[in-house]
Amino acid sequence: MTAIAESCPEGMSKAKTHAARVAKLNDDFRQGRTRGRFFVTPGIIKLSKGAPDELLSLVRNYNTFTRDENPYGENDFGSLDWRGSKVFWKIDYYNLDLTGGSPDPTDDSVTVRCLVLMLAAEY
């Protein structure tokens, strides 16, 4: 029992460290400090001519993560209300040729971050 009790805090610490690293990389990406890809859905484009740019600006400055939206602490999802529309954004992690998931989201040398901005109804 002692071995299990001693190993759990270390495992939890590693998970928190991993989540904190991913969150930092996600924040850097959202805020334009690192490279990645941004996508907007047809619903966002149809909102208005300036909607995609205005919403991406809001996403870059987003810092109201809730436990429900961010249960793993990776800062990879958010929601906001914009002119009466519920908008979601989501970051996913892909391998370099975008054919599958990243082997390690904590390593930008093997990861392409992709942010999709969408209406909640498109999720």
Side-chain angles (χ1 to χ4, degrees):
M1 186 119 179
T2 303
I4 292 173
E6 290 175 1
S7 68
C8 286
E10 181 182 330
M12 291 173 77
S13 177
K14 285 181 182 182
K16 285 183 180 181
T17 301
H18 181 271
R21 175 75 179 137
V22 171
K24 169 81 169 93
L25 292 168
N26 286 343
D27 291 343
D28 287 348
F29 164 57
R30 273 188 314 104
Q31 296 164 1
R33 293 189 294 264
T34 60
R35 293 181 295 150
R37 300 209 178 170
F38 289 88
F39 299 92
V40 295
T41 61
I44 295 295
I45 292 168
K46 290 177 184 177
L47 287 174
S48 73
K49 184 177 181 179
D53 289 335
E54 189 174 331
L55 287 164
L56 284 174
S57 178
L58 292 172
V59 168
R60 283 198 163 107
N61 294 303
Y62 190 90
N63 64 1
T64 55
F65 295 99
T66 66
R67 179 170 237 149
D68 288 339
E69 294 175 348
N70 193 34
Y72 302 107
E74 294 183 352
N75 296 2
D76 62 351
F77 179 87
S79 67
L80 47 98
D81 292 307
W82 186 80
R83 299 182 185 179
S85 295
K86 184 73 161 183
V87 176
F88 291 162
W89 60 267
K90 173 75 174 102
I91 298 173
D92 289 305
Y93 322 109
Y94 292 92
N95 60 20
L96 296 180
D97 58 6
L98 302 174
T99 59
S102 169
D104 182 2
T106 66
D107 183 353
D108 272 349
S109 71
V110 298
T111 303
V112 176
R113 283 180 160 65
C114 296
L115 185 146
V116 178
L117 184 61
M118 69 198 91
L119 293 176
E122 296 175 298
Y123 189 65

